[in-house]
Amino acid sequence: MTALFQQLPAVDKLLKMPQGEQLIAEFGHSAVVAICRELLTQARQYIQKNHQVPEYFNDFDRTFVELQARLNEQNAVQIKTVHNLTGTILHTNLGRAIWSEAARRAALSAMQGNVALEYDLEEGKRSHRDHYISTLLSRLTGAEAACVVNNNAAAVLLMLATFAQGKEVVISRGELIEIGGAFRIPDIMTQAGCHLVEVGTTNRTHLKDYQNAISENTALLMKVHSSNYQILGFTSSVSEQELVELGREMMVPVVTDLGSGALIDLSQYGLPKEPTVQEKIAQGVDLITFSGDKLLGGVQAGIIVGKKEWIARLQAHPLKRVLRCDKVTLAGLEATLRLYLNPEKLMENLPTLHLLTQSLEVLQEKAEHLKVRLEKRLNSQFDIQIEESHAQIGSGSQPMARIPSLAVTIAEKTKVKLTALSERFKKLSQPIIGRMENGKLWLDVRSVADMETLLQVVDEL
């Protein structure tokens, strides 16, 4: 054992060799020393267990190949680009909306230098970082002003903390939602320091239920869009318009958590209809919260639009500074919103809408290219077919709606298991993520953002 340990080189010896000096020039002295020590510690453990020296210490060329690999791995960003073939366009686990080219350019510009984030170029003095977004959202939605925070949960929290702390918020029992990550409306209300007043039943709530619940301590009447589930059958709910009329009569503001935040009527593209922010503004809702990275198709952000005096109070709350967005997020969001000023080009320029509206003819061509490439690489080990599929919007938007799509399906044909193939897909330089269903691996092409790169990655199999 002693002789085996003596075969291991000292760290100093490795560092003084030409290959070691090259690694130091590339990665720095501290990083190379740390990895050398790590490798030697593991080698000693290996010798104790196996009574032999690890292969990569049999000659120094192999040692430095191992060191280089470990240093490269240490520097590699672990949030990898993946190819989404799940059929879920806005996949929360895969980062939701893909940024448009305009948003990427704006974000990169903001990263590379200073920007007029809180500086008024015309007045030559400090301004508010939400100024540009607020002006733009007012133009797009008809709201008087807007406020931006880091996500929609934060938007709801800020709204409740500002206007209902220590007071009551009336909401239908059927709208006490839970979304991904265990975000629950009752929990947010608790964090905001307000008191939840449930009205109605799970499936039926009437206007009189809200009316009977209003007291001198009522701060808000709240609606929550149940975007991630549906209650069907014997149901009844109260619209924002009815609630606004009641709120005006009783002098209680009405707020809505719209969630997905559509700024256009999706039905014009043959997609399931979602309520738009503009509709809620027109109905007189005082404040509306929604996401920037769902149906809006942009960056992760929480947006609040509504009356100017209400937005001003949100901006002045201490939580706003805690939840505010940085220059890169705001630049990407502004660029995304500006795409909506040219609605005829939106389907072309906004990746989310582009993916959702692809024709079946386009999908057929994509599926055929993928099928051919997979057949070449998998050597008839699997049964590979093109089949009809059903995609979905995702991220809680229209959960019951299915969008016609096509998928390349892979079924077991030999002893090679689908689970093993799925693992191979995940170990590619850009992992391929599909879905397992009915004993097959489904690669739905509607959710693929970059077909050309995907085909290149398949060649790594």
Side-chain angles (χ1 to χ4, degrees):
M1 292 283 285
T2 302
L4 292 175
F5 285 128
Q6 290 175 342
Q7 291 182 37
L8 299 178
V11 171
D12 191 54
K13 181 178 181 180
L14 293 172
L15 298 181
K16 289 180 179 179
M17 295 180 72
Q19 302 100 311
E21 292 176 348
Q22 287 180 343
L23 290 179
I24 291 171
E26 183 177 355
F27 297 99
H29 184 271
S30 298
V32 176
V33 169
I35 292 297
C36 286
R37 288 174 176 168
E38 177 185 294
L39 196 64
L40 287 166
T41 297
Q42 291 176 1
R44 294 185 190 100
Q45 293 171 347
Y46 185 89
I47 291 171
Q48 287 177 331
K49 182 178 180 181
N50 299 285
H51 303 285
Q52 61 180 9
V53 176
E55 290 184 358
Y56 48 76
F57 272 117
N58 287 332
D59 66 76
F60 285 126
D61 285 340
R62 297 181 70 176
T63 302
F64 284 106
V65 167
E66 182 68 21
L67 287 170
Q68 175 87 43
R70 294 194 180 203
L71 285 162
N72 287 335
E73 183 180 359
Q74 177 175 276
N75 283 4
V77 176
Q78 294 302 301
I79 299 180
K80 286 189 174 182
T81 299
V82 302
H83 291 281
N84 177 13
L85 284 94
T86 64
T88 301
I89 309 301
L90 299 173
H91 200 301
T92 297
N93 303 135
L94 302 182
R96 291 188 182 168
I98 298 169
W99 289 27
S100 67
E101 176 61 30
R104 295 197 298 271
R105 287 198 306 268
L108 183 59
S109 178
M111 291 177 201
Q112 292 176 327
N114 295 121
V115 298
L117 180 64
E118 294 182 359
Y119 186 81
D120 189 319
L121 292 170
E122 293 183 3
E123 299 291 334
K125 61 183 182 181
R126 182 170 183 167
S127 66
H128 198 283
R129 66 175 57 202
D130 290 354
H131 171 70
Y132 299 113
I133 302 294
S134 182
T135 301
L136 192 50
L137 280 165
S138 294
R139 181 176 175 183
L140 290 170
T141 68
E144 293 180 7
C147 171
V148 183
V149 290
N150 62 354
N151 62 30
N152 190 49
V156 174
L157 175 64
L158 176 61
M159 180 176 66
L160 293 173
T162 302
F163 299 106
Q165 190 169 34
K167 297 183 179 181
E168 296 175 348
V169 178
V170 182
I171 184 172
S172 169
R173 186 169 282 110
E175 296 173 8
L176 296 176
I177 66 165
E178 175 182 325
I179 62 173
F183 167 83
R184 293 180 172 184
I185 288 291
D187 295 341
I188 291 296
M189 288 193 177
T190 299
Q191 290 298 317
C194 52
H195 304 292
L196 168 65
V197 177
E198 303 176 32
V199 296
T201 63
T202 302
N203 60 318
R204 292 178 69 82
T205 302
H206 306 283
L207 189 62
K208 64 182 180 182
D209 295 321
Y210 290 95
Q211 189 170 12
N212 293 338
I214 294 175
S215 71
E216 60 182 14
N217 200 38
T218 301
L220 300 171
L221 301 178
M222 186 173 183
K223 288 281 293 181
V224 179
H225 179 46
S226 57
S227 57
N228 67 342
Y229 71 96
Q230 290 183 2
I231 300 176
L232 304 175
F234 187 57
T235 65
S236 177
S237 63
V238 178
S239 69
E240 272 91 343
Q241 190 163 352
E242 294 175 283
L243 210 56
V244 165
E245 291 174 3
L246 174 63
R248 286 173 179 168
E249 178 186 340
M250 306 296 290
M251 299 183 66
V252 180
V254 175
V255 299
T256 292
D257 174 16
L258 203 51
S260 296
L263 292 183
I264 54 171
D265 180 7
L266 294 175
S267 64
Q268 66 181 301
Y269 301 103
L271 297 168
K273 183 173 176 57
E274 274 275 308
T276 65
V277 177
Q278 294 91 325
E279 290 170 357
K280 302 308 174 187
I281 290 293
Q283 290 170 356
V285 177
D286 293 287
L287 289 176
I288 302 162
T289 67
F290 56 97
S291 295
D293 59 344
K294 292 185 180 180
L295 288 178
L296 183 61
V299 308
Q300 178 177 299
I303 302 170
I304 311 172
V305 298
K307 293 181 169 56
K308 192 172 184 178
E309 61 180 297
W310 284 62
I311 296 296
R313 290 177 62 184
L314 290 169
Q315 299 287 16
H317 195 282
L319 266 180
K320 175 54 167 62
R321 185 174 182 85
V322 177
L323 303 171
R324 70 183 183 179
C325 298
D326 71 346
K327 63 178 183 177
V328 175
T329 298
L330 290 171
L333 178 58
E334 182 187 346
T336 301
L337 290 169
R338 290 195 179 279
L339 296 177
Y340 283 84
L341 298 174
N342 304 295
E344 292 82 10
K345 292 286 186 177
L346 196 58
M347 189 168 65
E348 175 184 339
N349 295 328
L350 193 68
T352 295
L353 190 58
H354 174 73
L355 293 174
L356 287 170
T357 57
Q358 295 173 99
S359 68
L360 288 175
E361 289 76 17
V362 169
L363 297 182
Q364 180 70 36
E365 184 177 352
K366 288 185 174 183
E368 288 172 356
H369 284 308
L370 180 57
K371 179 175 182 288
V372 168
R373 197 67 64 99
L374 284 168
E375 287 174 335
K376 286 181 180 179
R377 305 306 300 177
L378 298 181
N379 300 319
S380 303
Q381 293 177 310
F382 299 91
D383 181 21
I384 304 174
Q385 302 294 332
I386 296 175
E387 297 187 47
E388 292 183 357
S389 181
H390 294 285
Q392 59 181 346
I393 297 174
S395 291
S397 301
Q398 293 286 347
M400 304 299 291
R402 295 292 180 264
I403 302 169
S405 187
L406 292 172
V408 175
T409 62
I410 305 176
E412 292 178 3
K413 186 178 179 181
T414 63
K415 293 183 179 180
V416 180
K417 298 295 183 182
L418 276 179
T419 51
L421 178 61
S422 181
E423 288 304 309
R424 285 173 63 187
F425 280 163
K426 292 175 184 176
K427 292 178 180 177
L428 295 171
S429 60
Q430 293 182 356
I432 296 173
I433 312 297
R435 69 177 192 267
M436 296 295 294
E437 189 176 288
N438 299 327
K440 300 178 182 179
L441 178 59
W442 292 67
L443 304 176
D444 194 308
V445 294
R446 183 174 287 283
S447 52
V448 177
D450 186 349
M451 195 67 193
E452 183 178 347
T453 305
L454 170 65
L455 295 176
Q456 293 172 2
V457 170
V458 169
D459 287 339
E460 298 176 12
L461 286 170

